[in-house]
Amino acid sequence: MAALRANLGLPGPSSSSQPQRPVAQTNVAPISVAVKPSGWAGYGSLLAILEPVLEARRRSKDEADEASVVEESGSGRDKVSSGGVWRSGGGRGTGRRRLGKMNSKRGQSWDSGLTQKGEELLRQILVGNECVGDVLTSAEESLCSSELLSIIKGLGREGRWNSALAVFDWMRERPTFRPDGATIAVMLRILGRESQLSAVSRLFETLKLEGYRLDVYAYTSLITALSRNRKFKEALEFFRQMKAEGPQPNIVTYNVIIDLYGKKGRSWENILELFDEMKAQGIRPDEYTYNTAITACASGSLCEEAKELFSQMKASNCSPDRVTYNALLDVYGKAGWHDEAANVLKEMEGAGCPPNIVTYNELLSAFGRAGLYNAAAEMKDSMVGKGIEPDVFTYTSLLSAYSRAGRVDQAMEIYEEMRRKDCTPNSFTFNALIDMHGKNKNFNEMMLIFEDMQECGCEADIVTWNTLLGVFGKNGMYAEVLKVFRGMKKAGFEPEKATFNTLIEAYGRCGNSDQAMSIYDGMLQAGCTPDLATFNTLLAALAREGRWEHAELVLDEVKRSSYKPNDIAYASMLHAYANGGELDKMNELVDTLRTLYVPFTKILLKTLVLVYSKCSLIGEAEQAFFAMQHHGYLSDTSTFNAMISMYGKKGRIDLASDIYALLRKTGLEPDVVTYNCLMSMYGREGLYRKVEATLRECEAVGETPDLVSYNTVIFSYRYPHKIPCISNG
């Protein structure tokens, strides 16, 4: 659909437009996040597009505040506009959605427990404009508490939390229908599921003041709501309040807290303490407890701990189910324990719990994220051999695995297979392909995929637009950035936090941290509150240019905010010091991190390998590399490349060859950077024949040599007596 390109003004298949770079900004003052950088007005074209957005958000701020007051007043009336029932707060749309999974059961049949009159009242509330209170009052004599509870559940199922709350408030006003513990718990769960945190907290405190007896289920529902929305600190505070004042937590409460620590990460000791508490209280862990704890092991690649939990589970007469095995496979798959994962698959079948498509998809996805695309492809073949047909999740995970590894041809083969098998791609599929072609600078192919997306009836989402913005921004194609931005607005999408973060990252990656800070300034003007991802992208932009002084200012601002610096932030600081030549400061930070992270996370260990290698600190780099190997963290090629490059610069061909052999043994595939590092090493030693052989190997395995590759080959011929004789034949 060439019209799409025409509407957006983007390059077509035959276009050869050159990247257009923005004019460099000058005289930018030293940056503190608390002080907006000057010079934003210098980018008039982008500001011209942003300005209506900024003005609209400024105008709508008071309206939004007023709407929030109306919505939170508990008046019991839904506002209705031409677009249907008016709801705010993001609802379920703010939740994360798994590939190939439906996020809602709305519209499906369910056992409502309602009488014919109750179903009529529910329909009247759902489709009518009448006040909820009036609807219920008109039928008050025929109602009972159980039917009102069913109506609340039905409204919650349809995402109508405000109407459900209106029914609940109507019950509170009538002694006959005073909500019991079950009704309170259901109402709190609905508000939590819809991310209405202020409403759920306010309702909980109001009920306490009104003398309602809030039981363990009410507390557990509140804690679940807070945990679901990653308000871990507040959830843990209520958990401590339960233990101190009552009611005492039950098995469900403990399971929720274990899940909370799993989401929070780096909390294994806390999980063990919960198991001890449960034992002291006489609460026996159930299948869900063990499943949740094993799942929590995935984030930290805690394979041994997961294995021990699995053994304890079987010893305590809790039967592992498919969820257990899938969680264990996820842990092993992410950590690269392939043999153990294969044994789990065998045990599943022997236990009468044959792997299903979810099992294979979990493992295939884990292999893909770890860069093990060959293992992912074998997993797909295995499931097909067992008679299980791949679904959109299977294809998208495998396609993404090839995409991450730069295997464009294989990724496109999977895409074509999807189309032949009538497996309709979803937005995740198209976004992965768009991102892949963008990273490989295949702009024409990227836009063809964008057209396919429209032809399949799959609308571009905010991720699609952000990806396009990121691709063109990273490649300095400033005119295309503006056109995509206009197309995004024309499609009805307003810039959001992720959009600004994408632009900040894009300009940071192309070495323009001044422009990145100007985008940040526009973000503030648009009324978007920076999050930790924003600060991390700023830190990364400054780190690439070695601007460690400015990076320190940003880090100080993070510490003063409601966020705490994470390992990604500290990794950027290490890069900033390394690129700025501040080795003393880098070592001081490493000493500080030793007290904050025991042991170091995967991100920090990988960063240490990279910065030590860059600074030719062989002993320190080796120590970090072997620590990664010990923890099973060697899952990407860049770490190996850094070690090969370092050894090559020092003339240690033997050690570099050992690292290359380990890379192949690990199951990873060398990329063009790997071969460039090897050729550079041989070239320094004057071994031009080895350089030529390495170049041929690079081409033989399907990697495309780049400009660096050919320059390296030429460099290896630098001595006159080593220039090969070239015949005229």
Side-chain angles (χ1 to χ4, degrees):
M1 294 171 61
L4 283 170
R5 288 200 186 91
N7 289 337
L8 290 177
L10 295 172
S14 60
S15 174
S16 58
S17 60
Q18 296 296 316
Q20 301 181 37
R21 298 186 180 276
V23 179
Q25 184 180 357
T26 58
N27 300 326
V28 177
I31 302 166
S32 167
V33 180
V35 181
K36 300 176 184 179
S38 60
W40 171 256
Y43 293 94
S45 50
L46 183 55
L47 182 60
I49 300 176
L50 277 173
E51 185 54 38
V53 180
L54 309 184
E55 180 60 29
R57 292 199 179 191
R58 285 192 288 265
R59 287 199 311 268
S60 65
K61 185 177 186 302
D62 293 337
E63 298 174 12
D65 291 341
E66 180 181 352
S68 177
V69 171
V70 172
E71 184 176 305
E72 295 177 356
S73 65
S75 62
R77 184 183 299 273
D78 287 342
K79 286 185 175 292
V80 179
S81 66
S82 59
V85 178
W86 174 83
R87 295 200 326 237
S88 70
R92 295 184 181 179
T94 60
R96 301 182 70 179
R97 194 155 53 101
R98 289 186 56 188
L99 299 178
K101 300 291 181 183
M102 292 299 293
N103 200 35
S104 172
K105 295 182 180 178
R106 296 173 190 174
Q108 298 180 14
S109 61
W110 64 294
D111 185 7
S112 66
L114 290 169
T115 64
Q116 184 176 355
K117 179 61 176 177
E119 291 181 352
E120 181 181 336
L121 290 173
L122 178 60
R123 283 194 298 270
Q124 195 173 346
I125 294 172
L126 285 172
V127 302
N129 296 332
E130 192 175 354
C131 174
V132 172
D134 293 342
V135 172
L136 297 176
T137 301
S138 65
E140 183 172 356
E141 293 183 0
S142 61
L143 288 173
C144 62
S145 296
S146 61
E147 187 142 59
L148 288 167
L149 174 58
S150 295
I151 290 175
I152 289 175
K153 289 180 179 178
L155 292 168
R157 184 180 177 82
E158 294 299 318
R160 295 283 293 275
W161 63 268
N162 40 11
S163 297
L165 185 58
V167 175
F168 185 84
D169 288 339
W170 185 87
M171 294 177 68
R172 286 168 54 200
E173 295 170 358
R174 288 158 177 78
T176 307
F177 300 110
R178 182 181 174 87
D180 58 11
T183 307
I184 292 172
V186 167
M187 190 65 246
L188 293 173
R189 279 200 300 273
I190 290 172
L191 293 174
R193 190 169 61 239
E194 295 293 336
S195 302
Q196 299 299 322
L197 297 187
S198 60
V200 72
S201 299
R202 185 169 53 253
L203 177 60
F204 187 86
E205 295 299 331
T206 300
L207 293 175
K208 284 180 66 176
L209 292 174
E210 291 179 359
Y212 281 84
R213 181 179 175 274
L214 300 179
D215 58 18
V216 63
Y217 299 104
Y219 272 92
T220 302
S221 296
L222 176 62
I223 292 171
T224 302
L226 294 169
S227 176
R228 179 193 296 268
N229 291 277
R230 305 190 70 81
K231 298 294 183 181
F232 302 137
K233 182 179 178 180
E234 294 85 347
L236 290 172
E237 182 59 37
F238 277 107
F239 181 61
R240 285 189 285 269
Q241 182 179 324
M242 283 184 73
K243 293 191 291 184
E245 304 172 6
Q248 288 303 306
N250 61 9
I251 181 66
V252 178
T253 317
Y254 277 105
N255 289 344
V256 170
I257 297 299
I258 291 173
D259 180 61
L260 179 154
Y261 280 125
K263 294 175 182 175
K264 188 170 181 281
R266 302 201 310 274
S267 304
W268 181 245
E269 294 300 325
N270 300 103
I271 292 175
L272 292 180
E273 289 175 5
L274 290 175
F275 271 87
D276 291 338
E277 280 185 24
M278 293 173 68
K279 183 177 180 180
Q281 296 291 333
I283 300 175
R284 181 174 175 268
D286 59 10
E287 287 83 355
Y288 188 86
T289 312
Y290 285 109
N291 289 347
T292 305
I294 291 173
T295 301
C297 294
S299 60
S301 296
L302 303 175
C303 298
E304 293 291 352
E305 290 81 354
K307 189 175 182 180
E308 176 62 24
L309 280 171
F310 186 62
S311 298
Q312 289 181 16
M313 181 179 187
K314 292 188 287 187
S316 62
N317 295 323
C318 287
S319 301
D321 56 14
R322 187 172 281 115
V323 175
T324 315
Y325 289 113
N326 288 348
L328 196 59
L329 285 170
D330 189 40
V331 177
Y332 289 165
K334 287 178 178 177
W337 283 32
H338 310 136
D339 293 339
E340 288 78 2
N343 291 334
V344 171
L345 284 174
K346 293 178 182 177
E347 183 175 337
M348 286 185 72
E349 294 175 340
C353 185
N356 60 4
I357 191 169
V358 176
T359 310
Y360 284 106
N361 284 345
E362 287 284 1
L363 195 52
L364 191 151
S365 178
F367 284 154
R369 289 193 300 270
L372 305 173
Y373 53 84
N374 284 334
E378 291 174 3
M379 191 58 57
K380 170 182 168 285
D381 293 339
S382 177
M383 63 185 287
V384 171
K386 297 288 180 63
I388 301 175
E389 283 298 317
D391 60 7
V392 64
F393 181 87
T394 314
Y395 283 117
T396 301
S397 296
L398 183 55
L399 182 150
S400 299
Y402 283 130
S403 172
R404 292 188 191 96
R407 300 283 176 171
V408 177
D409 292 341
Q410 289 94 325
M412 291 306 297
E413 286 174 7
I414 294 298
Y415 176 60
E416 295 300 331
E417 182 180 333
M418 285 184 74
R419 305 302 296 270
R420 289 196 307 270
K421 296 289 184 66
D422 292 327
C423 181
T424 304
N426 59 19
S427 60
F428 294 98
T429 314
F430 288 114
N431 289 341
L433 289 171
I434 289 172
D435 182 62
M436 176 188 71
H437 285 306
K439 286 178 179 176
N440 288 277
K441 301 184 180 182
N442 299 327
F443 306 123
N444 293 334
E445 290 82 355
M446 180 179 73
M447 295 312 299
L448 286 172
I449 293 296
F450 183 68
E451 291 177 5
D452 281 356
M453 187 176 190
Q454 309 299 314
E455 290 174 353
C456 285
C458 183
E459 294 184 3
D461 57 17
I462 190 66
V463 175
T464 314
W465 293 109
N466 287 344
T467 301
L468 291 172
L469 285 172
V471 167
F472 290 129
K474 290 172 187 176
N475 288 279
M477 302 172 71
Y478 191 61
E480 280 71 21
V481 169
L482 298 176
K483 292 170 185 175
V484 170
F485 201 88
R486 292 190 185 102
M488 174 180 168
K489 288 190 62 185
K490 186 176 180 181
F493 290 93
E494 295 294 346
E496 60 171 18
K497 191 174 299 183
T499 310
F500 288 108
N501 288 351
T502 298
L503 289 171
I504 291 171
E505 181 184 14
Y507 283 104
R509 285 187 178 276
C510 68
N512 195 338
S513 58
D514 290 340
Q515 173 70 330
M517 288 304 303
S518 294
I519 297 294
Y520 170 76
D521 185 62
M523 178 180 185
L524 296 179
Q525 292 185 45
C528 283
T529 303
D531 58 10
L532 188 56
T534 310
F535 291 123
N536 284 344
T537 54
L538 284 173
L539 285 170
L542 296 167
R544 289 186 183 95
E545 299 177 27
R547 298 174 66 175
W548 58 270
E549 304 100 323
H550 296 154
E552 285 181 342
L553 293 174
V554 174
L555 188 67
D556 289 340
E557 189 67 25
V558 178
K559 293 176 180 178
R560 289 193 296 268
S561 71
S562 59
Y563 300 101
K564 291 183 179 180
N566 58 7
D567 53 354
I568 299 175
Y570 287 119
S572 290
M573 289 304 305
L574 290 171
H575 281 293
Y577 290 136
N579 292 335
E582 292 292 328
L583 300 188
D584 290 339
K585 284 184 172 292
M586 183 179 75
N587 289 328
E588 288 175 8
L589 179 56
V590 172
D591 291 338
T592 301
L593 293 176
R594 292 187 196 281
T595 65
L596 298 177
Y597 295 91
V598 181
F600 279 146
T601 64
K602 178 180 179 179
I603 289 174
L604 287 176
L605 283 175
K606 177 181 176 180
T607 302
L608 289 175
V609 172
L610 298 179
V611 297
Y612 284 144
S613 299
K614 185 180 299 180
C615 299
S616 296
L617 299 173
I618 294 180
E620 291 84 347
E622 288 176 338
Q623 185 178 6
F625 182 82
F626 293 137
M628 291 190 72
Q629 186 179 22
H630 173 73
H631 291 290
Y633 292 161
L634 293 177
S635 57
D636 68 85
T637 309
S638 62
T639 312
F640 291 92
N641 292 344
M643 295 295 292
I644 293 172
S645 176
M646 179 186 67
Y647 285 138
K649 291 175 183 177
K650 294 296 183 180
R652 296 303 305 270
I653 295 179
D654 55 338
L655 296 177
S657 299
D658 290 342
I659 294 295
Y660 179 69
L662 179 60
L663 183 151
R664 303 304 297 262
K665 183 179 178 181
T666 306
L668 298 175
E669 295 292 337
D671 56 18
V672 67
V673 177
T674 312
Y675 290 111
N676 287 347
C677 291
L678 290 171
M679 288 190 291
S680 177
M681 175 182 67
Y682 295 136
R684 286 189 179 90
E685 300 301 316
L687 303 173
Y688 71 90
R689 295 295 186 192
K690 292 283 289 183
V691 174
E692 293 170 342
T694 304
L695 180 65
R696 288 194 294 270
E697 181 184 343
C698 176
E699 295 172 324
V701 299
E703 290 290 341
T704 303
D706 56 16
L707 183 61
V708 175
S709 309
Y710 293 111
N711 284 343
T712 303
V713 175
I714 295 171
F715 176 78
S716 71
Y717 302 144
R718 66 192 184 281
Y719 298 117
H721 69 279
K722 290 181 179 176
I723 298 178
C725 179
I726 302 176
S727 67
N728 294 328

